[in-house]
Amino acid sequence: MEKIAKIAGVSKAAVSFALNDKPGISQATRNQILKIAEELNYVPRRKIKKDTIVFLLVTNDHAQSLDYFQRLPFFQSIIDAFKTKSYLKGYNLSLQTVSKLDQDTFSNWQQTNIYGVVILGTFLTSDDVLLLNKVHANIVILDNPSIENSHSSVVINNKEGVRSIIHQISPKETVLYVHGLPAIPNFQERNTAFKYSAQTKDFNLTEIKMDSFSFSETTTSEQQLIINTLQNNTTIVAENDYLALKIAQIVAEKKLTHNVKALFGFDNIRTLSQSPIPIKTVSVNVSVMVDMAIDLILKEYKVPVHVTVDTNFVEGDKNEK
Amino acid sequence: MEKIAKIAGVSKAAVSFALNDKPGISQATRNQILKIAEELNYVPRRKIKKDTIVFLLVTNDHAQSLDYFQRLPFFQSIIDAFKTKSYLKGYNLSLQTVSKLDQDTFSNWQQTNIYGVVILGTFLTSDDVLLLNKVHANIVILDNPSIENSHSSVVINNKEGVRSIIHQISPKETVLYVHGLPAIPNFQERNTAFKYSAQTKDFNLTEIKMDSFSFSETTTSEQQLIINTLQNNTTIVAENDYLALKIAQIVAEKKLTHNVKALFGFDNIRTLSQSPIPIKTVSVNVSVMVDMAIDLILKEYKVPVHVTVDTNFVEGDKNEK
């Protein structure tokens, strides 16, 4: 506006009158100002409707592309839900990926047509969360249970999910708990909750780590670890469904299915029907998570609001309750 | 509908056709049926709009009446926010109180015009929560941080509030932590969080309980306890603002203000300007809590959703950020 005033040789107030269609200046001045504004491609801030919600996927080291996320059923269903819900609420969805969060990422969000940004936080590190805490923007962090998060957030209720699984297992049972290496906040929260809740049941508990990343192929040594640890009449609890599916495949291949009393996973990855052993799991309603995330963007509360969505218990390849 | 069919001497299908304005019967029969329906004050189920949200205050042993809640600023602001927001969203608000939750309470909610019930959970006991977990209705529990809550809930972020207060106090400081006796879940969560977070600062910590209920008058022995425990240069942290205000009054009356380095409360009760010593506190945005509670009722998600609202830090009698 300052630039227009300078070129037209009028006051900023006169430019404001012209652009906002208010009286107080001559028609000639008004026409001149509007012409200059048009030449400068000036669009008055108030006239740009905030019509776009950004859904930002932060890939970090674990993944490289949108394509990677779309091959994983949980993320694919999140992306689909975002597309549907933003359309239904009358907003455009801008799907973006970055390999690393930094200051450049945030500068793009100053565009006046952006209502807010939902960040898929599954792979965010604690450094990423600290960085985000310093950013002033309408942000909702999805799927990251960091407690010190100073933006609004929407997460699965890992603690309730773990309690729901442990509720299915009798005291004193032989339990093999399998978790993966990666520092994914959801997985860490589950692991802590499992150790805490398992104490109340006095399980005959063995715990093993699978060295390779949960989503990748198992190594021979990992397969051997499962086989060596598996006792008769064992209930296996896996930190996530990807691990549960791998364990099922290993156990079936080595013909040790008779040793498994039950196999529990976490997150319904919706490929459980492929499993050679029935997997019981807890599943979160992705549609509810995405609905809440978009609503929090649109509400623009002045205070962070944290939403935790409970899970449903799912047996075998049955549908959700 | 059965009764109408009997009186009119027609089939139930005919009654259904008439009431739902569908073809298949003669105009004479239609008129006769509608006349009988009108005489019987029959309102078809589908025509009853769910237009009412119940806001239920459970008083338990701590309080007797709606009047009691309305005299406490925090509850008064919650009730006011409910009235305003239900009106703005186009729903009636039915404000109800019960002295004790039981099966009779729930049977009233089967009325077809009730959309759902928000229960003020501040004073709910764990038995109350267990009872509520068995009730099938569209329920949101407000202001009760029980972890095993199987209905949707909206609570203040006690942990974040405590961290925010502790962040203001330097390591090694002399700190007097004062909490009350009553088993209010929010207070319990704060107390646990305080003890946990205080460790990281290595405070010279003294902890005292005030025997009387936080909202009632202090006894002479409680006053003496505060006075005896107060050292030079002490930072006082009170579990809630009612206690903080009482402590301020005791300290001022005994002319010990010079011993108090700072006085912290919790929950902005909005009477802090009456305090003879400046009280720093964390305040929750009641409007956001109520907005989320009503929204969760209206959304009718099939899975419990738990909402936690962060606090704002407030110094003296300044307004919220």
Side-chain angles (χ1 to χ4, degrees):
Chain A
M1 254 171 63
E2 205 154 15
K3 203 171 173 185
I4 299 171
K6 209 170 171 183
I7 295 174
V10 298
S11 68
K12 280 199 281 180
V15 175
S16 173
F17 290 158
L19 295 176
N20 294 302
D21 212 15
K22 285 184 181 164
I25 48 170
S26 73
Q27 192 58 44
T29 308
R30 188 180 302 274
N31 290 344
Q32 186 205 7
I33 292 168
L34 290 175
K35 191 158 178 282
I36 295 167
E38 201 185 329
E39 278 164 7
L40 291 172
N41 288 319
Y42 177 84
V43 186
R45 180 175 290 261
R46 62 153 62 182
K47 293 236 171 118
I48 300 177
K49 198 185 153 223
K50 288 176 174 181
D51 60 359
T52 299
I53 295 168
V54 173
F55 183 38
L56 181 75
L57 309 171
V58 184
T59 61
N60 277 347
D61 304 330
H62 304 302
Q64 281 74 42
S65 64
L66 182 59
D67 186 56
Y68 170 82
F69 283 101
Q70 289 182 324
R71 271 184 284 121
L72 297 169
F74 176 72
F75 295 117
Q76 180 57 53
S77 63
I78 286 183
I79 294 168
D80 286 347
F82 259 104
K83 287 180 182 164
T84 309
K85 286 190 187 286
S86 51
Y87 174 77
L88 288 176
K89 287 173 198 260
Y91 291 87
N92 299 320
L93 181 69
S94 167
L95 204 58
Q96 303 180 3
T97 57
V98 290
S99 58
K100 186 88 193 80
L101 275 186
D102 56 26
Q103 288 299 337
D104 286 351
T105 322
F106 313 135
S107 57
N108 293 329
W109 303 341
Q110 304 309 318
Q111 290 171 44
T112 43
N113 67 326
I114 292 180
Y115 212 118
V117 184
V118 178
I119 299 180
L120 181 68
T122 315
F123 300 110
L124 289 186
T125 64
S126 49
D127 282 350
D128 290 334
V129 174
L130 284 178
L131 179 63
L132 280 170
N133 285 351
K134 293 177 196 152
V135 177
H136 294 281
N138 186 12
I139 294 174
V140 171
I141 299 181
L142 183 72
D143 202 36
N144 184 296
S146 299
I147 55 157
E148 302 263 7
N149 198 333
S150 67
H151 292 289
S152 288
S153 64
V154 180
V155 296
I156 181 175
N157 196 343
N158 288 304
K159 288 175 190 163
E160 175 270 344
V162 166
R163 285 198 301 269
S164 163
I165 286 168
I166 287 198
H167 184 71
Q168 307 282 327
I169 311 173
S170 306
K172 314 266 183 193
E173 268 191 41
T174 299
V175 174
L176 174 60
Y177 183 64
V178 186
H179 56 100
L181 255 191
I184 293 179
N186 274 310
F187 293 174
Q188 289 173 332
E189 194 173 70
R190 275 172 221 172
N191 293 339
T192 306
F194 182 83
K195 278 166 207 168
Y196 181 82
S197 293
Q199 291 170 5
T200 65
K201 292 278 196 154
D202 197 16
F203 295 145
N204 172 20
L205 181 65
T206 312
E207 192 185 311
I208 62 174
K209 268 187 193 173
M210 304 264 281
D211 281 331
S212 66
F213 184 61
S214 310
F215 305 153
S216 63
E217 291 304 306
T218 50
T219 62
T220 317
S221 64
E222 284 174 344
Q223 296 180 15
Q224 206 55 51
L225 190 60
I226 296 283
I227 294 157
N228 293 347
T229 319
L230 193 64
Q231 299 173 45
N232 193 29
N233 208 30
T234 297
T235 296
I236 305 177
V237 179
E239 165 199 83
N240 63 68
D241 282 349
Y242 301 98
L243 276 180
L245 192 54
K246 279 191 227 170
I247 294 164
Q249 285 158 348
I250 294 167
V251 169
E253 196 180 307
K254 304 294 175 183
K255 303 199 190 317
L256 290 167
T257 308
H258 58 278
N259 277 353
V260 178
K261 188 173 179 191
L263 172 56
F264 291 92
F266 204 112
D267 288 341
N268 183 11
I269 61 168
R270 298 191 300 176
T271 49
L272 297 186
S273 52
Q274 300 166 10
S275 174
I277 301 177
I279 297 178
K280 301 174 185 184
T281 192
V282 289
S283 161
V284 72
N285 191 321
V286 165
S287 170
V288 171
M289 288 181 75
V290 170
D291 198 55
M292 292 297 306
I294 294 180
D295 265 15
L296 287 179
I297 288 289
L298 299 181
K299 280 170 184 288
E300 294 190 284
Y301 288 139
K302 296 251 180 303
V303 66
V305 171
H306 306 290
V307 173
T308 311
V309 180
D310 281 4
T311 66
N312 286 318
F313 189 73
V314 186
E315 286 206 46
D317 53 0
K318 283 175 202 160
N319 288 327
E320 289 181 36
K321 277 191 283 197
Chain B
M1 250 171 65
E2 206 154 15
K3 201 169 175 188
I4 300 171
K6 209 170 172 186
I7 295 174
V10 298
S11 67
K12 279 199 280 177
V15 176
S16 173
F17 290 158
L19 295 177
N20 293 303
D21 211 14
K22 284 184 181 163
I25 47 170
S26 73
Q27 193 57 43
T29 308
R30 189 180 302 273
N31 290 345
Q32 186 203 8
I33 291 168
L34 290 177
K35 193 158 176 283
I36 294 167
E38 201 185 327
E39 280 164 7
L40 291 173
N41 289 320
Y42 177 83
V43 186
R45 179 175 290 262
R46 60 152 64 183
K47 294 234 171 121
I48 301 180
K49 199 184 152 222
K50 288 178 175 179
D51 60 1
T52 300
I53 296 169
V54 173
F55 183 38
L56 182 75
L57 309 172
V58 183
T59 62
N60 277 346
D61 303 329
H62 304 302
Q64 281 75 43
S65 65
L66 181 59
D67 186 56
Y68 171 82
F69 283 103
Q70 289 181 325
R71 271 184 284 121
L72 297 169
F74 177 73
F75 296 118
Q76 179 56 52
S77 64
I78 287 183
I79 293 168
D80 286 348
F82 258 105
K83 287 181 181 165
T84 309
K85 285 188 189 290
S86 51
Y87 174 77
L88 288 175
K89 287 172 198 261
Y91 292 87
N92 300 320
L93 180 70
S94 167
L95 204 58
Q96 303 179 1
T97 56
V98 289
S99 58
K100 184 89 194 83
L101 275 185
D102 56 26
Q103 288 299 337
D104 286 349
T105 322
F106 313 135
S107 58
N108 292 330
W109 303 341
Q110 304 308 318
Q111 292 171 43
T112 43
N113 67 326
I114 292 180
Y115 212 118
V117 183
V118 178
I119 299 180
L120 182 67
T122 315
F123 300 110
L124 289 185
T125 64
S126 51
D127 281 351
D128 291 334
V129 173
L130 285 175
L131 178 65
L132 280 170
N133 285 351
K134 292 177 195 151
V135 177
H136 293 282
N138 186 14
I139 294 175
V140 170
I141 299 181
L142 184 71
D143 202 38
N144 184 298
S146 299
I147 56 161
E148 302 262 8
N149 198 333
S150 69
H151 293 289
S152 288
S153 63
V154 180
V155 295
I156 182 175
N157 196 342
N158 288 304
K159 288 175 189 160
E160 175 270 344
V162 166
R163 286 198 301 272
S164 163
I165 286 167
I166 287 198
H167 184 72
Q168 308 282 328
I169 311 173
S170 306
K172 312 268 185 191
E173 268 191 41
T174 299
V175 175
L176 172 61
Y177 183 64
V178 185
H179 55 98
L181 257 191
I184 294 180
N186 274 312
F187 292 175
Q188 289 173 334
E189 195 171 71
R190 275 173 222 172
N191 293 339
T192 307
F194 182 83
K195 278 167 205 166
Y196 182 81
S197 292
Q199 291 169 5
T200 64
K201 292 278 195 153
D202 197 15
F203 293 146
N204 172 21
L205 181 66
T206 312
E207 192 185 311
I208 63 173
K209 269 188 193 173
M210 304 264 281
D211 281 331
S212 66
F213 183 60
S214 309
F215 304 154
S216 63
E217 290 305 306
T218 50
T219 62
T220 316
S221 64
E222 284 173 345
Q223 295 182 15
Q224 204 55 50
L225 189 61
I226 296 284
I227 294 158
N228 294 345
T229 320
L230 193 63
Q231 299 171 47
N232 194 29
N233 210 30
T234 297
T235 295
I236 305 177
V237 180
E239 166 200 83
N240 63 69
D241 282 348
Y242 301 98
L243 276 182
L245 192 54
K246 277 190 229 171
I247 294 164
Q249 285 158 349
I250 294 167
V251 168
E253 196 180 310
K254 305 293 175 185
K255 303 200 190 316
L256 291 167
T257 309
H258 58 278
N259 277 353
V260 178
K261 189 175 178 189
L263 172 57
F264 291 92
F266 204 112
D267 288 343
N268 183 11
I269 61 166
R270 298 191 300 175
T271 50
L272 297 187
S273 51
Q274 301 166 9
S275 174
I277 301 176
I279 298 178
K280 302 174 184 184
T281 191
V282 289
S283 160
V284 73
N285 191 321
V286 164
S287 169
V288 171
M289 289 182 74
V290 170
D291 198 57
M292 291 298 306
I294 294 180
D295 265 17
L296 287 177
I297 288 289
L298 299 181
K299 280 169 183 290
E300 294 190 284
Y301 289 138
K302 297 251 180 303
V303 67
V305 171
H306 305 289
V307 173
T308 311
V309 180
D310 280 4
T311 65
N312 285 319
F313 188 73
V314 185
E315 286 206 45
D317 53 1
K318 285 175 200 159
N319 287 325
E320 289 181 39
K321 277 191 286 196

